[in-house]
Amino acid sequence: MLRYRLFMWNNHTSYALPCLKTKHTAANSTIKVQHALSFHTKWKANNRAFYKSRAINSSGITNSEYLTAQQNEALFNLIAGDKLIKYVKQPISEPLFLNTQLFFNPVNVTQKNYWHRDMQYHLNVQEQQAALNGPDVVHCRLALEDEPGMELVPHSHKNWDTPEELNVRLAKNNKLPSDNLTTGKVIKLNAGDLLLFSANMIHRGLYGKNRLALDIIFCENALQLTAFINAANTPSSAIANKTDNPLVFFNPL
């Protein structure tokens, strides 16, 4: 039997989901891990220098470059499945699929993790603060192996940085993004755990063990977010219509 736990990003309360008792469900879970490993092996071979120098994640898993059509269809069924979408709809009433990422340990064991908000890589500081009152992006992190997990700053998806958090996150005043924060909360993840958290939160991944996690990312239907949707990562209409929630793959704008 497999037991899944859910950690919601808004209050970090953990819930034990129903045990998955059927052989069919257990087999499907194993298949998802196999698909991720298949992608990871091929991606590493094609991005050897980047992987060995500093990579901690890959993205665009569903763009068909490294997976078969059958493997992609299985992932689309996972992404748009009722089991996941019912939780995604708690923070986002009409979610749209944005992208996938696969997180792993860096090859360089001395490489440090770093606090960040996802939006800091395309917005200036003033825009980042304003974005806390705007549309949201939600990561659904499915741990494929036991791992140290994530460290988050509770409520930072709506609250702006304290002076300590801003100095660390932006490496100011002799601080580094890898420095510890007094406000951080560690959430350990075991294989099968699902963590939902806002991309706007101050967060960092924790390296160690056999870290391998699949992130499925959803966004609200807002132009500043849907502009990042890559059509190459989405299924055809025929494949989408086979899923439980095909509308998560379509942008009505």
Side-chain angles (χ1 to χ4, degrees):
M1 293 193 304
L2 300 179
R3 176 170 287 277
Y4 281 60
R5 292 184 296 160
L6 170 72
F7 300 89
M8 293 300 292
W9 56 268
N10 55 347
N11 57 14
H12 309 297
T13 301
S14 91
Y15 301 91
L17 300 186
C19 289
L20 305 178
K21 300 179 180 179
T22 67
K23 291 182 180 179
H24 173 73
T25 306
N28 282 345
S29 300
T30 301
I31 289 171
K32 302 301 187 301
V33 175
Q34 291 173 344
H35 293 348
L37 290 173
S38 176
F39 171 91
H40 191 44
T41 299
K42 296 174 183 177
W43 181 88
K44 286 190 296 183
N46 203 37
N47 297 272
R48 189 178 303 276
F50 176 53
Y51 173 67
K52 289 188 174 182
S53 62
R54 56 190 175 89
I56 59 166
N57 73 281
S58 54
S59 64
I61 299 170
T62 59
N63 70 7
S64 301
E65 183 177 0
Y66 301 114
L67 296 181
T68 66
Q70 184 179 15
Q71 289 173 325
N72 260 333
E73 186 171 347
L75 286 177
F76 287 132
N77 284 326
L78 170 67
I79 291 164
D82 284 336
K83 183 174 182 181
L84 177 61
I85 296 301
K86 69 178 179 180
Y87 293 112
V88 178
K89 284 187 174 181
Q90 293 184 31
I92 300 180
S93 59
E94 296 181 358
L96 292 175
F97 169 64
L98 181 58
N99 201 356
T100 49
Q101 295 177 310
L102 192 65
F103 285 84
F104 43 82
N105 287 319
V107 171
N108 180 0
V109 295
T110 65
Q111 184 171 325
K112 296 182 178 180
N113 55 26
Y114 51 94
W115 290 104
H116 64 284
R117 299 179 188 265
D118 285 9
M119 58 185 170
Q120 73 185 57
Y121 301 110
H122 65 277
L123 299 178
N124 63 38
V125 173
Q126 291 74 26
E127 292 169 335
Q128 292 171 37
Q129 189 166 9
L132 297 183
N133 295 314
D136 209 351
V137 175
V138 171
H139 283 254
C140 304
R141 175 158 298 190
L142 177 61
L144 303 178
E145 300 282 354
D146 294 348
E147 60 158 281
M150 296 282 296
E151 191 169 7
L152 311 170
V153 175
H155 310 296
S156 59
H157 63 298
K158 291 299 181 184
N159 296 337
W160 184 238
D161 304 51
T162 65
E164 177 200 25
E165 292 163 357
L166 193 64
N167 284 332
V168 168
R169 182 168 68 88
L170 300 183
K172 293 184 174 182
N173 297 317
N174 298 316
K175 296 294 184 179
L176 295 173
S178 58
D179 290 346
N180 290 329
L181 288 176
T182 58
T183 49
K185 177 181 176 63
V186 174
I187 300 180
K188 295 181 180 179
L189 298 174
N190 295 323
D193 285 349
L194 177 66
L195 171 69
L196 273 67
F197 66 96
S198 169
N200 289 341
M201 296 188 82
I202 302 173
H203 64 279
R204 64 176 175 177
L206 301 177
Y207 307 150
K209 294 187 175 181
N210 294 318
R211 181 180 188 241
L212 189 67
L214 173 65
D215 269 30
I216 301 171
I217 309 171
F218 295 90
C219 67
E220 293 188 58
N221 185 12
L223 185 59
Q224 63 265 46
L225 300 179
T226 57
F228 291 98
I229 295 177
N230 184 344
N233 296 331
T234 60
S236 65
S237 296
I239 296 300
N241 286 330
K242 293 180 182 179
T243 68
D244 296 331
N245 297 277
L247 290 182
V248 302
F249 295 117
F250 299 101
N251 178 10
L253 292 180

